Amino acid sequence: MIYLISKINIFNENDYKEAIESSLKNRQKKILFYLNSQVIYESSKNLETEKYLLDADYLIADGYSIIWAYKKLLNKKIEKVVFTYSYLKFIRNLFIKNNSTIFYLGASEANIMKAVRMEEENFPNLKIVGYHHGYFDKNIESDKIIKLINQSNAEVLIVGMGCPIAEKWIIKNKDRLNPLLIFSVGGFFDFLAKDKISAPKWMYNSGLEWVFRLIQEPRRLLKRYLFANTYLVYHTILKVVFRSTN
């Protein structure tokens, strides 16, 4: 857990923007993954998940609990960077400005189609060159999906299939995927399709965004937050206490 958090290398939105622009400008393939308490918890149960995460070019703090743990463990303040907010704030415009071609992969068939339709209607200069839902058989249909992505000539691949499914699929197939930028973005497409509602801006860095999400999805998120956040807090405090006694 500690090692994974220490590998975070995007510290704020400016770093994030620079990483995206550099990849597009220099035509370098870059993979970007996010860390939150649930991702940390999942990686603690499966070392293979941690390996996939560490294979990314960039690890980004997505969650106030990660910001808190990073400060306690490394004595450095960083900022939370969430793809959904960043996309609406500047990433979409960045793609439009650079005339980037984009492929959406993830969510249900209904939500991915709705997300694409809404983006095309509201942002006609955004070049979405392909999309596919995320509920395909990863063992049987991956070849077909990869061919679809590559034939679209997408420079950007945005994958929303949840952790660790997305991370595992991306890393296993990274050498076969042609896009320059590959993001794992969790439930981003459900927010884009308005199936879920983003928390108000004032909650973004307040440490209370999780409360807003919990109210929306209590059954799915209560257990997740209970176990994942408890695990992260416990092991962070344990590490800090152990370090102070040595």
Side-chain angles (χ1 to χ4, degrees):
M1 179 197 91
I2 309 302
Y3 184 67
L4 198 55
I5 289 176
S6 74
K7 301 305 286 185
I8 290 172
N9 55 357
I10 294 288
F11 303 118
N12 51 54
E13 284 190 341
N14 285 335
D15 288 348
Y16 197 32
K17 185 177 181 180
E18 287 176 9
I20 294 171
E21 288 180 320
S22 175
S23 173
L24 293 173
K25 180 181 178 180
N26 298 316
R27 312 302 293 175
Q28 295 175 331
K29 181 183 287 189
K30 299 294 180 182
I31 295 171
L32 302 95
F33 289 163
Y34 283 86
L35 291 183
N36 55 38
S37 60
Q38 179 64 21
V39 173
I40 295 292
Y41 182 65
E42 291 294 335
S43 67
S44 74
K45 296 190 296 181
N46 188 342
L47 290 178
E48 188 179 50
T49 298
E50 182 177 84
K51 178 183 177 297
Y52 292 133
L53 291 165
L54 290 171
D55 276 345
D57 296 287
Y58 296 106
L59 282 178
I60 306 155
D62 172 21
Y64 190 78
S65 58
I66 301 296
I67 305 302
W68 172 83
Y70 195 92
K71 180 69 168 64
K72 292 293 182 183
L73 295 168
L74 299 165
N75 198 30
K76 182 178 179 182
K77 186 178 179 180
I78 61 175
E79 296 176 10
K80 181 174 69 172
V81 181
V82 178
F83 185 84
T84 301
Y85 288 96
S86 298
Y87 181 87
L88 300 177
K89 185 177 179 181
F90 66 87
I91 293 177
R92 180 200 283 129
N93 288 334
L94 200 58
F95 291 157
I96 293 173
K97 176 186 173 183
N98 285 279
N99 208 30
S100 303
T101 49
I102 309 162
F103 195 103
Y104 287 171
L105 177 64
S108 66
E109 186 170 9
N111 277 2
I112 196 68
M113 289 177 67
K114 185 178 178 182
V116 170
R117 184 177 71 250
M118 292 177 70
E119 286 294 277
E120 289 179 337
E121 289 176 356
N122 294 317
F123 303 94
N125 292 326
L126 186 68
K127 289 192 172 182
I128 302 173
V129 293
Y131 65 90
H132 197 280
H133 65 80
Y135 291 91
F136 60 92
D137 190 313
K138 310 302 182 290
N139 296 318
I140 298 174
E141 298 179 86
S142 286
D143 288 346
K144 180 186 74 174
I145 300 300
I146 292 167
K147 183 178 180 181
L148 188 67
I149 293 167
N150 290 341
Q151 286 182 339
S152 74
N153 292 318
E155 297 167 296
V156 178
L157 173 61
I158 303 176
V159 183
M161 298 191 294
C163 181
I165 296 171
E167 287 76 8
K168 180 179 179 179
W169 188 84
I170 290 169
I171 296 301
K172 280 194 168 185
N173 297 293
K174 65 178 181 178
D175 294 331
R176 301 169 61 204
L177 290 163
N178 291 342
L180 296 171
L181 280 168
I182 304 176
F183 300 85
S184 175
V185 298
F188 164 69
F189 296 121
D190 294 328
F191 289 101
L192 206 59
K194 307 298 183 185
D195 189 50
K196 295 178 184 176
I197 303 170
S198 299
K201 288 184 179 179
W202 68 267
M203 280 189 167
Y204 185 68
N205 277 318
S206 68
L208 297 173
E209 187 181 3
W210 68 273
V211 177
F212 185 88
R213 294 196 62 196
L214 182 61
I215 292 171
Q216 287 192 79
E217 302 179 86
R219 287 188 177 182
R220 186 176 76 87
L221 295 179
L222 181 59
K223 186 176 179 180
R224 165 178 161 177
Y225 286 146
L226 181 63
F227 283 100
N229 286 351
T230 300
Y231 176 87
L232 180 63
V233 170
Y234 173 76
H235 283 276
T236 299
I237 292 174
L238 197 66
K239 178 66 175 179
V240 171
V241 170
F242 178 79
R243 185 174 59 196
S244 66
T245 58
N246 286 275

